[in-house]
Amino acid sequence: MMIATNEHFSSENIDEIRSYSIDQVAAQTGLTKRTLRYYEEMGLLPPTDRTGGNYRRYSDEDIHRIDHIKKLRDLLGFSLADIRAMLEVDDERGMLKEAYRQETEAAAKIDQLDRGDGLIRRQLQMIEQKIAGLEQMRTTLQATIERHERIRQQLSDNISSNT
Amino acid sequence: MMIATNEHFSSENIDEIRSYSIDQVAAQTGLTKRTLRYYEEMGLLPPTDRTGGNYRRYSDEDIHRIDHIKKLRDLLGFSLADIRAMLEVDDERGMLKEAYRQETEAAAKIDQLDRGDGLIRRQLQMIEQKIAGLEQMRTTLQATIERHERIRQQLSDNISSNT
DNA sequence: CCTCACATTGACGTAAACGGCAATCTTGTG
DNA sequence: CACAAGATTGCCGTTTACGTCAATGTGAGG
């Protein structure tokens, strides 16, 4: 039973469907294995594929999702509950996208798009706010450094005039 | 015994030393009273002045410090332990500033400045990183919105061509 | 003077986000 | 094929950052 365990590289398959062990994913994403399992348990990550021996196998898409979660967590400071809610909206949108091929209820689709955009715009607002606050912090810190620069200069002068 | 409890405004004193109750500070800073007491207990805020009846009185400087703490917490996501460590460096620098008036060990002062600047530069780096990450998120979200815009446009076309 | 609203400390409680251990199963390597 | 290394689930422990409650003190208004 060939499950494409994908050691070294197996470029035998045209599909090029990479998959990674939990250890690899932990190393690459900077999360711990425990955290990865926890995120799956909490519904942030969909149940991954499994090998014959019930080992988790992460896809590239999974890794993208994990990176996204990390950004929402570390850059925006959202709670996991918040993140899950957002991802659910994204997933809904993704499912809608799937349905695009067959359905024809254009009006309903537009509504869904609007709903999704609402969330996105709120996220954008938070991002703008954060950036603004950070830029302000940056300028004050830079000002402090420059002030120190001048003080240092003056201290040097004092020293030389003191010899 | 007049302690200048500072109701409405008391512009009787030239010094204009404002002080605020814990309730006022909570309202203004957006922290809870519990959190303010907690931060003091944890050493993030210095023990405030007290009224005769042992009520806390916050100064404008205290409020500045609280705002700074909020930024470090909310914008940069530091733990309270991290923040305390940073503030301790700041305080050290502040004390040094005080000593500037009498002392003359210019070399030692420069060393202290260097030490402080090290921390500041690290903070600046973190800020730059966060800003960069946030800007990237922003552009991808904006791209998504624009994509949706085009899809919406196409859906509208479909509707009109469907009547 | 009484009272009712607000403050204080101390103690215990708790939600979020994992960490760590045990018992069991899987798997690549000699 | 034996065996050590690594994965799984289940479960309990822990830290952080507060919330909440109780007992007590304080202080301006009627």
Side-chain angles (χ1 to χ4, degrees), chain A residues 12-126:
Chain A
E12 27 180 316
N13 202 349
I14 307 176
D15 269 355
E16 199 61 56
I17 298 179
R18 286 223 173 286
S19 82
Y20 312 89
S21 74
I22 193 170
D23 224 19
Q24 292 175 302
V25 176
Q28 200 201 320
T29 63
L31 300 181
T32 68
K33 294 184 281 182
R34 177 69 176 91
T35 300
L36 289 171
R37 298 196 189 97
Y38 179 64
Y39 283 2
E40 179 179 331
E41 189 184 344
M42 291 297 103
L44 295 180
L45 299 173
T48 64
D49 290 347
R50 300 294 185 111
T51 71
N54 203 30
Y55 282 18
R56 264 166 264 255
R57 287 270 111 189
Y58 292 85
S59 68
D60 287 310
E61 192 189 333
D62 289 332
I63 293 188
H64 268 120
R65 193 184 180 93
I66 293 167
D67 286 339
H68 188 205
I69 291 173
K70 270 202 70 179
K71 283 183 182 171
L72 290 174
R73 190 192 67 172
D74 297 339
L75 293 177
L76 292 179
F78 285 127
S79 72
L80 298 187
D82 290 343
I83 294 175
R84 180 176 44 204
M86 294 176 179
L87 292 177
E88 277 167 7
V89 176
D90 284 5
D91 292 346
E92 209 176 340
R93 248 186 30 210
M95 281 163 51
L96 189 70
K97 209 170 174 179
E98 272 303 308
Y100 264 149
R101 274 107 199 178
Q102 291 108 351
E103 294 196 18
T104 34
E105 293 282 351
K109 290 176 193 167
I110 291 183
D111 283 3
Q112 272 290 354
L113 282 180
D114 290 348
R115 243 165 51 76
D117 279 13
L119 181 74
I120 294 179
R121 280 178 209 285
R122 266 173 301 185
Q123 285 191 29
L124 267 175
Q125 271 198 22
M126 298 204 52

